[in-house]
Amino acid sequence: MVTGGAVDLAVWEWPGEGPPLVLAHATAFHGRLWDAVMRLLPGRRALAIDARSHGHSGKGPLPAHWSAFGADLARVIDHFALRDAVA
């Protein structure tokens, strides 16, 4: 969990090498949908976020503006100090 912002954000992490992958989902999904993709990329570091009001993340005020989702993603990247990530 990444805490301390407008909402707590659930983040799923796969350890590994190479530039980290940052995986985001569409609305009405959650971060665990990337499990099947990550099985095809063994040994690759990746992080998948449950967007606000999705999966295990906190519920934010509605309606949520797209800029809030972008700010949440930036907060996760900062929290994990990711550099050279591929999103």
Coordinates of all heavy atoms in Angstrom, one line a residue:
M1 N 0.8 -1.2 0.0 CA 0.0 0.0 0.0 C 0.9 1.2 0.0 O 1.9 1.3 0.7 CB -0.9 0.0 1.2 CG -2.0 -0.9 1.2 SD -3.2 -0.6 -0.1 CE -4.6 0.0 0.8
V2 N 0.5 2.2 -0.8 CA 1.1 3.5 -0.8 C 0.1 4.4 -0.1 O -1.0 4.6 -0.5 CB 1.4 4.0 -2.2 CG1 1.9 5.4 -2.2 CG2 2.4 3.1 -2.9
T3 N 0.5 5.0 1.0 CA -0.4 5.8 1.9 C 0.1 7.2 1.8 O 1.1 7.6 1.3 CB -0.4 5.3 3.3 OG1 0.9 5.3 3.8 CG2 -0.9 3.8 3.4
G4 N -0.7 8.1 2.4 CA -0.3 9.5 2.6 C -0.9 10.5 1.6 O -0.6 11.6 1.8
G5 N -1.6 10.0 0.7 CA -2.2 10.9 -0.3 C -3.7 11.1 -0.1 O -4.2 10.7 1.0
A6 N -4.4 11.4 -1.1 CA -5.9 11.6 -1.0 C -6.5 10.2 -0.7 O -7.5 10.2 0.0 CB -6.4 12.2 -2.3
V7 N -6.0 9.2 -1.3 CA -6.5 7.8 -1.0 C -5.3 6.9 -0.9 O -4.2 7.1 -1.4 CB -7.4 7.3 -2.2 CG1 -8.6 8.1 -2.3 CG2 -6.7 7.3 -3.5
D8 N -5.5 5.8 -0.2 CA -4.4 4.7 -0.1 C -4.5 3.9 -1.4 O -5.6 3.6 -1.9 CB -4.7 3.8 1.1 CG -4.5 4.5 2.4 OD1 -3.8 5.5 2.5 OD2 -4.9 3.9 3.4
L9 N -3.3 3.6 -1.9 CA -3.3 2.9 -3.2 C -2.6 1.5 -3.1 O -1.5 1.4 -2.6 CB -2.5 3.7 -4.2 CG -3.1 5.1 -4.6 CD1 -2.0 5.9 -5.3 CD2 -4.4 5.0 -5.3
A10 N -3.3 0.5 -3.5 CA -2.8 -0.9 -3.5 C -1.9 -1.0 -4.7 O -2.2 -0.6 -5.8 CB -3.9 -1.9 -3.5
V11 N -0.7 -1.6 -4.5 CA 0.3 -1.8 -5.5 C 0.8 -3.2 -5.4 O 1.1 -3.7 -4.4 CB 1.5 -0.8 -5.4 CG1 2.5 -1.1 -6.5 CG2 1.0 0.6 -5.4
W12 N 0.8 -3.9 -6.6 CA 1.2 -5.3 -6.7 C 2.6 -5.2 -7.3 O 2.8 -4.6 -8.3 CB 0.3 -6.1 -7.5 CG -1.2 -5.9 -7.0 CD1 -2.1 -5.1 -7.6 CD2 -1.8 -6.6 -5.9 NE1 -3.3 -5.2 -6.8 CE2 -3.1 -6.1 -5.8 CE3 -1.3 -7.5 -5.0 CZ2 -3.9 -6.5 -4.8 CZ3 -2.2 -7.9 -4.0 CH2 -3.5 -7.4 -3.9
E13 N 3.6 -5.9 -6.7 CA 5.0 -5.8 -7.2 C 5.5 -7.2 -7.5 O 5.3 -8.2 -6.8 CB 5.9 -5.2 -6.1 CG 7.3 -5.0 -6.6 CD 8.1 -4.2 -5.7 OE1 7.7 -4.0 -4.5 OE2 9.2 -3.7 -6.1
W14 N 6.1 -7.3 -8.7 CA 6.9 -8.5 -9.1 C 8.3 -8.2 -9.1 O 8.7 -7.2 -9.8 CB 6.4 -9.0 -10.5 CG 5.0 -9.5 -10.6 CD1 4.6 -10.8 -10.5 CD2 3.8 -8.7 -10.8 NE1 3.3 -10.9 -10.7 CE2 2.8 -9.6 -10.8 CE3 3.6 -7.3 -11.0 CZ2 1.5 -9.2 -11.0 CZ3 2.3 -6.9 -11.1 CH2 1.2 -7.8 -11.2
P15 N 9.2 -8.9 -8.3 CA 10.6 -8.6 -8.3 C 11.3 -9.0 -9.6 O 10.8 -9.9 -10.3 CB 11.1 -9.3 -7.1 CG 10.1 -10.5 -6.9 CD 8.8 -10.0 -7.4
G16 N 12.4 -8.4 -9.9 CA 13.1 -8.8 -11.1 C 14.1 -7.8 -11.5 O 14.4 -6.8 -10.8
E17 N 14.6 -8.0 -12.7 CA 15.6 -7.1 -13.3 C 15.1 -6.2 -14.4 O 14.0 -6.4 -14.9 CB 16.8 -8.0 -13.8 CG 17.4 -8.9 -12.8 CD 18.0 -8.1 -11.6 OE1 18.7 -7.1 -11.9 OE2 17.9 -8.6 -10.5
G18 N 15.9 -5.4 -14.9 CA 15.6 -4.5 -16.0 C 14.8 -3.3 -15.6 O 14.4 -3.2 -14.4
P19 N 14.6 -2.4 -16.5 CA 13.8 -1.2 -16.2 C 12.4 -1.7 -15.7 O 11.8 -2.5 -16.3 CB 13.7 -0.4 -17.5 CG 14.9 -0.9 -18.3 CD 15.1 -2.3 -17.9
P20 N 12.0 -1.1 -14.6 CA 10.7 -1.6 -14.1 C 9.5 -1.2 -15.0 O 9.5 -0.2 -15.6 CB 10.5 -0.9 -12.7 CG 11.5 0.3 -12.8 CD 12.5 -0.1 -13.8
L21 N 8.6 -2.1 -15.1 CA 7.3 -1.9 -15.8 C 6.3 -1.3 -14.8 O 6.2 -1.8 -13.7 CB 6.8 -3.2 -16.4 CG 7.7 -3.9 -17.4 CD1 7.0 -5.3 -17.7 CD2 8.0 -3.1 -18.6
V22 N 5.6 -0.3 -15.2 CA 4.5 0.3 -14.4 C 3.3 0.0 -15.2 O 3.1 0.5 -16.3 CB 4.7 1.8 -14.2 CG1 3.6 2.4 -13.4 CG2 6.1 2.1 -13.4
L23 N 2.4 -0.8 -14.6 CA 1.2 -1.3 -15.3 C -0.1 -0.6 -14.7 O -0.3 -0.7 -13.5 CB 1.1 -2.8 -15.1 CG 2.4 -3.5 -15.6 CD1 2.3 -5.0 -15.2 CD2 2.6 -3.4 -17.1
A24 N -0.8 0.0 -15.5 CA -2.1 0.6 -15.1 C -3.2 -0.1 -15.9 O -3.1 -0.6 -17.0 CB -2.1 2.1 -15.5
H25 N -4.4 -0.1 -15.2 CA -5.5 -0.8 -15.8 C -6.6 0.3 -16.3 O -6.6 1.4 -15.9 CB -6.1 -1.8 -14.9 CG -6.6 -1.1 -13.6 ND1 -7.8 -0.4 -13.5 CD2 -6.1 -1.0 -12.4 CE1 -8.0 0.0 -12.3 NE2 -6.9 -0.3 -11.5
A26 N -7.5 -0.2 -17.1 CA -8.7 0.6 -17.5 C -9.7 0.7 -16.4 O -9.6 -0.1 -15.4 CB -9.3 0.0 -18.8
T27 N -10.7 1.5 -16.5 CA -11.8 1.6 -15.5 C -12.5 0.2 -15.4 O -12.5 -0.5 -16.4 CB -12.8 2.7 -15.8 OG1 -13.3 2.5 -17.1 CG2 -12.1 4.1 -15.8
A28 N -13.0 -0.1 -14.3 CA -13.7 -1.3 -14.0 C -12.8 -2.5 -13.9 O -13.4 -3.6 -13.9 CB -14.9 -1.5 -14.9
F29 N -11.5 -2.3 -13.8 CA -10.6 -3.5 -13.6 C -9.8 -3.3 -12.4 O -10.1 -2.4 -11.5 CB -9.7 -3.6 -14.9 CG -10.4 -4.0 -16.1 CD1 -10.8 -3.1 -17.0 CD2 -10.6 -5.4 -16.3 CE1 -11.4 -3.5 -18.2 CE2 -11.2 -5.8 -17.5 CZ -11.6 -4.9 -18.4
H30 N -8.7 -4.0 -12.2 CA -7.8 -3.9 -11.0 C -6.5 -4.4 -11.5 O -6.3 -5.0 -12.5 CB -8.4 -4.7 -9.8 CG -8.7 -6.1 -10.1 ND1 -7.7 -7.0 -10.2 CD2 -9.8 -6.7 -10.4 CE1 -8.2 -8.2 -10.5 NE2 -9.5 -8.0 -10.7
G31 N -5.5 -4.1 -10.6 CA -4.1 -4.4 -10.9 C -3.7 -5.9 -11.1 O -2.7 -6.2 -11.8
R32 N -4.5 -6.8 -10.6 CA -4.2 -8.2 -10.7 C -4.5 -8.7 -12.1 O -4.1 -9.9 -12.4 CB -4.9 -9.0 -9.6 CG -4.5 -8.7 -8.2 CD -3.0 -8.7 -8.0 NE -2.3 -9.9 -8.3 CZ -1.7 -10.7 -7.5 NH1 -1.8 -10.5 -6.2 NH2 -1.1 -11.8 -7.9
L33 N -5.1 -7.9 -12.9 CA -5.3 -8.4 -14.3 C -4.0 -8.6 -15.0 O -4.0 -9.3 -16.0 CB -6.3 -7.5 -15.1 CG -5.7 -6.1 -15.5 CD1 -5.0 -6.2 -16.9 CD2 -6.9 -5.2 -15.6
W34 N -2.9 -8.1 -14.5 CA -1.6 -8.2 -15.1 C -0.9 -9.5 -14.8 O 0.2 -9.8 -15.3 CB -0.8 -7.0 -14.8 CG -1.3 -5.7 -15.3 CD1 -2.0 -4.8 -14.6 CD2 -1.3 -5.3 -16.6 NE1 -2.4 -3.7 -15.4 CE2 -2.0 -4.0 -16.7 CE3 -0.8 -5.8 -17.8 CZ2 -2.1 -3.3 -17.8 CZ3 -0.9 -5.0 -19.0 CH2 -1.6 -3.8 -19.0
D35 N -1.5 -10.3 -13.9 CA -0.9 -11.6 -13.5 C -0.5 -12.4 -14.8 O 0.6 -13.0 -14.8 CB -1.8 -12.4 -12.6 CG -1.8 -11.8 -11.2 OD1 -1.1 -10.9 -10.9 OD2 -2.7 -12.3 -10.4
A36 N -1.4 -12.6 -15.7 CA -1.2 -13.4 -16.9 C -0.1 -12.9 -17.7 O 0.8 -13.6 -18.2 CB -2.5 -13.5 -17.7
V37 N 0.0 -11.6 -17.9 CA 1.1 -11.0 -18.6 C 2.4 -11.2 -17.9 O 3.4 -11.6 -18.6 CB 0.9 -9.4 -18.8 CG1 2.1 -8.8 -19.4 CG2 -0.4 -9.2 -19.6
M38 N 2.5 -11.1 -16.6 CA 3.7 -11.2 -15.9 C 4.2 -12.7 -15.9 O 5.4 -12.9 -15.8 CB 3.6 -10.7 -14.4 CG 3.4 -9.2 -14.4 SD 4.7 -8.3 -15.4 CE 6.2 -8.8 -14.6
R39 N 3.3 -13.6 -16.0 CA 3.8 -15.0 -16.2 C 4.6 -15.2 -17.5 O 5.4 -16.1 -17.6 CB 2.6 -16.0 -16.2 CG 2.0 -16.2 -14.8 CD 1.1 -17.4 -14.7 NE -0.2 -17.1 -15.4 CZ -1.2 -16.5 -14.8 NH1 -1.1 -16.1 -13.5 NH2 -2.4 -16.3 -15.5
L40 N 4.3 -14.3 -18.5 CA 5.1 -14.4 -19.7 C 6.4 -13.6 -19.6 O 7.2 -13.7 -20.6 CB 4.2 -13.8 -20.9 CG 2.9 -14.5 -21.1 CD1 2.1 -13.7 -22.1 CD2 3.1 -15.9 -21.6
L41 N 6.6 -12.9 -18.5 CA 7.8 -12.1 -18.4 C 8.6 -12.4 -17.1 O 8.8 -11.6 -16.2 CB 7.4 -10.6 -18.3 CG 6.8 -10.1 -19.6 CD1 6.2 -8.7 -19.3 CD2 7.7 -10.1 -20.8
P42 N 8.9 -13.7 -16.9 CA 9.6 -14.1 -15.7 C 10.9 -13.3 -15.5 O 11.6 -13.1 -16.4 CB 9.8 -15.6 -15.8 CG 9.8 -15.8 -17.3 CD 8.9 -14.8 -17.9
G43 N 11.1 -12.9 -14.3 CA 12.4 -12.2 -13.9 C 12.3 -10.7 -14.3 O 13.4 -10.1 -14.1
R44 N 11.2 -10.2 -14.7 CA 11.1 -8.8 -15.0 C 10.4 -8.1 -13.8 O 9.4 -8.5 -13.3 CB 10.3 -8.6 -16.3 CG 10.2 -7.1 -16.7 CD 11.6 -6.6 -17.2 NE 11.5 -5.2 -17.5 CZ 11.4 -4.7 -18.8 NH1 11.3 -5.6 -19.8 NH2 11.4 -3.4 -19.0
R45 N 11.0 -7.0 -13.4 CA 10.4 -6.2 -12.3 C 9.2 -5.4 -12.8 O 9.3 -4.8 -13.9 CB 11.4 -5.2 -11.7 CG 10.8 -4.5 -10.5 CD 11.7 -3.6 -9.8 NE 11.0 -3.0 -8.6 CZ 11.3 -1.9 -8.1 NH1 12.3 -1.1 -8.6 NH2 10.6 -1.4 -7.1
A46 N 8.1 -5.4 -12.1 CA 7.0 -4.7 -12.5 C 6.1 -4.3 -11.2 O 6.2 -5.0 -10.2 CB 6.1 -5.5 -13.4
L47 N 5.4 -3.2 -11.4 CA 4.4 -2.8 -10.4 C 3.1 -2.5 -11.1 O 3.1 -1.8 -12.1 CB 4.9 -1.5 -9.7 CG 6.2 -1.7 -8.9 CD1 7.4 -1.2 -9.7 CD2 6.1 -1.1 -7.5
A48 N 2.0 -3.0 -10.5 CA 0.7 -2.7 -11.0 C -0.1 -2.0 -9.9 O -0.1 -2.5 -8.8 CB 0.0 -4.0 -11.4
I49 N -0.8 -1.0 -10.3 CA -1.5 -0.2 -9.3 C -3.0 -0.6 -9.4 O -3.5 -0.9 -10.5 CB -1.4 1.3 -9.6 CG1 -2.1 2.1 -8.6 CG2 -1.8 1.6 -11.0 CD1 -1.8 3.6 -8.7
D50 N -3.7 -0.6 -8.3 CA -5.1 -0.6 -8.2 C -5.5 0.8 -8.2 O -5.2 1.5 -7.2 CB -5.7 -1.3 -7.0 CG -5.8 -2.8 -7.1 OD1 -5.6 -3.4 -8.2 OD2 -6.0 -3.5 -6.0
A51 N -6.1 1.4 -9.3 CA -6.5 2.8 -9.3 C -7.5 3.1 -8.2 O -8.2 2.2 -7.7 CB -7.1 3.1 -10.7
R52 N -7.5 4.3 -7.8 CA -8.5 4.8 -6.8 C -9.9 4.2 -7.1 O -10.3 4.2 -8.3 CB -8.5 6.3 -6.6 CG -8.9 7.0 -7.8 CD -9.1 8.5 -7.6 NE -7.9 9.1 -7.1 CZ -7.9 10.1 -6.2 NH1 -9.0 10.6 -5.8 NH2 -6.7 10.6 -5.8
S53 N -10.6 3.8 -6.1 CA -11.9 3.3 -6.2 C -12.0 2.0 -7.0 O -13.1 1.6 -7.5 CB -12.9 4.3 -6.8 OG -13.0 5.4 -6.0
H54 N -10.9 1.3 -7.1 CA -10.8 0.0 -7.8 C -10.0 -1.0 -6.9 O -9.1 -0.6 -6.2 CB -10.1 0.1 -9.1 CG -10.8 0.9 -10.2 ND1 -10.8 2.3 -10.1 CD2 -11.5 0.5 -11.3 CE1 -11.5 2.7 -11.2 NE2 -11.9 1.7 -11.9
G55 N -10.3 -2.3 -7.0 CA -9.5 -3.3 -6.3 C -9.4 -3.0 -4.8 O -10.4 -2.7 -4.2
H56 N -8.2 -3.1 -4.3 CA -8.0 -2.9 -2.9 C -7.6 -1.4 -2.5 O -7.3 -1.2 -1.4 CB -6.9 -3.8 -2.4 CG -7.3 -5.3 -2.4 ND1 -8.0 -5.8 -1.4 CD2 -7.1 -6.2 -3.3 CE1 -8.3 -7.1 -1.7 NE2 -7.7 -7.4 -2.9
S57 N -7.6 -0.5 -3.5 CA -7.3 0.9 -3.2 C -8.5 1.6 -2.5 O -9.6 1.1 -2.6 CB -6.9 1.6 -4.5 OG -5.6 1.2 -4.9
G58 N -8.2 2.7 -1.9 CA -9.2 3.5 -1.2 C -10.2 4.1 -2.2 O -9.9 4.3 -3.4
K59 N -11.3 4.5 -1.7 CA -12.3 5.1 -2.5 C -12.1 6.6 -2.4 O -12.1 7.2 -1.3 CB -13.7 4.8 -2.0 CG -14.0 3.3 -1.8 CD -13.8 2.5 -3.1 CE -14.1 1.1 -2.9 NZ -13.2 0.2 -3.6
G60 N -12.0 7.3 -3.5 CA -11.8 8.7 -3.5 C -13.2 9.4 -3.8 O -14.2 8.8 -4.1
P61 N -13.2 10.7 -3.7 CA -14.4 11.5 -4.0 C -14.8 11.3 -5.4 O -14.0 11.2 -6.3 CB -14.1 12.9 -3.6 CG -12.6 13.0 -3.7 CD -12.1 11.6 -3.3
L62 N -16.1 11.2 -5.6 CA -16.6 11.1 -7.0 C -17.3 12.4 -7.4 O -17.9 13.1 -6.6 CB -17.6 9.9 -7.1 CG -17.0 8.6 -6.8 CD1 -18.0 7.5 -6.8 CD2 -15.9 8.2 -7.9
P63 N -17.3 12.7 -8.7 CA -16.6 12.0 -9.7 C -15.1 12.3 -9.6 O -14.7 13.4 -9.2 CB -17.2 12.6 -11.0 CG -17.7 14.0 -10.6 CD -18.1 13.9 -9.2
A64 N -14.3 11.4 -10.1 CA -12.9 11.6 -10.1 C -12.4 12.1 -11.4 O -12.9 11.6 -12.5 CB -12.2 10.2 -9.8
H65 N -11.6 13.1 -11.4 CA -11.1 13.7 -12.7 C -9.9 12.8 -13.1 O -9.2 12.3 -12.2 CB -10.7 15.1 -12.5 CG -10.4 15.8 -13.8 ND1 -9.2 15.8 -14.3 CD2 -11.2 16.5 -14.6 CE1 -9.2 16.5 -15.4 NE2 -10.4 17.0 -15.6
W66 N -9.6 12.7 -14.4 CA -8.5 11.9 -14.9 C -7.2 12.4 -14.3 O -6.3 11.6 -14.1 CB -8.5 12.0 -16.4 CG -9.6 11.1 -17.0 CD1 -10.6 11.6 -17.7 CD2 -9.7 9.7 -16.9 NE1 -11.4 10.5 -18.1 CE2 -10.9 9.4 -17.6 CE3 -8.9 8.7 -16.4 CZ2 -11.3 8.1 -17.8 CZ3 -9.4 7.4 -16.5 CH2 -10.6 7.1 -17.2
S67 N -7.1 13.7 -14.0 CA -5.8 14.2 -13.4 C -5.5 13.6 -12.1 O -4.4 13.4 -11.7 CB -5.9 15.7 -13.3 OG -6.9 16.1 -12.4
A68 N -6.6 13.2 -11.3 CA -6.4 12.5 -10.0 C -5.7 11.1 -10.2 O -4.8 10.7 -9.5 CB -7.7 12.3 -9.3
F69 N -6.1 10.4 -11.3 CA -5.5 9.1 -11.6 C -4.1 9.3 -12.0 O -3.2 8.5 -11.6 CB -6.3 8.4 -12.7 CG -7.7 8.0 -12.3 CD1 -8.8 8.7 -12.6 CD2 -7.9 6.8 -11.6 CE1 -10.1 8.3 -12.3 CE2 -9.1 6.4 -11.2 CZ -10.2 7.1 -11.6
G70 N -3.8 10.3 -12.7 CA -2.4 10.6 -13.1 C -1.5 11.0 -11.9 O -0.4 10.5 -11.8
A71 N -2.1 11.8 -11.0 CA -1.3 12.1 -9.8 C -1.1 10.9 -8.9 O 0.0 10.8 -8.3 CB -2.1 13.2 -9.0
D72 N -2.1 10.0 -8.9 CA -1.9 8.8 -8.1 C -0.7 7.9 -8.7 O 0.1 7.4 -7.9 CB -3.2 7.9 -8.1 CG -4.3 8.6 -7.3 OD1 -4.0 9.5 -6.5 OD2 -5.4 8.1 -7.5
L73 N -0.7 7.8 -10.0 CA 0.3 7.0 -10.6 C 1.7 7.7 -10.4 O 2.7 7.0 -10.1 CB 0.1 6.9 -12.1 CG 0.9 5.9 -12.9 CD1 0.8 4.5 -12.3 CD2 0.4 5.9 -14.4
A74 N 1.8 9.0 -10.5 CA 3.0 9.7 -10.2 C 3.5 9.5 -8.7 O 4.7 9.3 -8.4 CB 2.9 11.2 -10.4
R75 N 2.5 9.4 -7.8 CA 2.8 9.2 -6.4 C 3.4 7.8 -6.2 O 4.4 7.6 -5.4 CB 1.6 9.4 -5.5 CG 1.8 9.3 -4.0 CD 0.7 10.0 -3.2 NE -0.6 9.5 -3.5 CZ -1.3 8.6 -2.8 NH1 -0.7 8.1 -1.7 NH2 -2.5 8.2 -3.1
V76 N 2.9 6.8 -6.9 CA 3.4 5.4 -6.8 C 4.8 5.4 -7.3 O 5.7 4.8 -6.7 CB 2.5 4.4 -7.5 CG1 3.2 3.1 -7.7 CG2 1.2 4.3 -6.8
I77 N 5.1 6.1 -8.5 CA 6.4 6.1 -9.1 C 7.4 6.8 -8.1 O 8.5 6.3 -7.9 CB 6.4 6.8 -10.4 CG1 5.6 5.9 -11.4 CG2 7.8 7.2 -10.9 CD1 5.3 6.6 -12.7
D78 N 7.0 7.9 -7.5 CA 7.9 8.5 -6.5 C 8.1 7.7 -5.3 O 9.2 7.6 -4.8 CB 7.2 9.9 -6.1 CG 7.3 10.9 -7.1 OD1 8.1 10.8 -8.1 OD2 6.6 11.9 -7.0
H79 N 7.0 7.0 -4.8 CA 7.1 6.2 -3.6 C 8.2 5.1 -3.7 O 8.9 4.8 -2.8 CB 5.8 5.6 -3.2 CG 5.8 4.6 -2.1 ND1 5.7 5.1 -0.8 CD2 5.9 3.3 -2.0 CE1 5.8 4.0 0.0 NE2 5.9 2.9 -0.7
F80 N 8.2 4.5 -4.9 CA 9.1 3.4 -5.2 C 10.4 3.9 -5.8 O 11.3 3.1 -6.1 CB 8.5 2.3 -6.1 CG 7.5 1.5 -5.4 CD1 6.1 1.8 -5.4 CD2 7.8 0.4 -4.6 CE1 5.2 1.1 -4.7 CE2 6.9 -0.4 -3.9 CZ 5.6 0.0 -4.0
A81 N 10.6 5.2 -5.9 CA 11.8 5.8 -6.5 C 12.2 5.2 -7.8 O 13.4 4.8 -8.0 CB 13.0 5.8 -5.5
L82 N 11.2 5.0 -8.7 CA 11.5 4.3 -10.0 C 12.2 5.3 -10.9 O 11.8 6.5 -11.0 CB 10.1 3.9 -10.6 CG 9.3 2.9 -9.8 CD1 8.1 2.5 -10.5 CD2 10.1 1.6 -9.5
R83 N 13.2 4.8 -11.6 CA 13.9 5.5 -12.6 C 13.9 4.6 -13.9 O 14.0 3.4 -13.8 CB 15.3 5.8 -12.2 CG 15.4 6.6 -10.9 CD 14.9 8.0 -11.1 NE 14.9 8.8 -9.9 CZ 13.8 9.1 -9.2 NH1 12.6 8.7 -9.6 NH2 13.9 9.8 -8.1
D84 N 13.8 5.3 -15.0 CA 13.9 4.6 -16.3 C 12.7 3.5 -16.4 O 12.9 2.5 -17.1 CB 15.2 3.9 -16.5 CG 16.4 4.9 -16.5 OD1 16.2 6.0 -17.1 OD2 17.4 4.6 -16.0
A85 N 11.6 3.8 -15.8 CA 10.5 2.9 -15.9 C 9.8 3.0 -17.2 O 9.9 4.0 -17.9 CB 9.5 3.2 -14.8
V86 N 9.2 1.9 -17.6 CA 8.4 1.8 -18.8 C 6.9 1.6 -18.3 O 6.6 0.7 -17.6 CB 8.8 0.6 -19.6 CG1 7.9 0.4 -20.9 CG2 10.3 0.7 -20.0
A87 N 6.1 2.5 -18.8 CA 4.7 2.5 -18.3 C 3.8 2.1 -19.5 O 4.1 2.4 -20.6 CB 4.2 3.9 -17.8

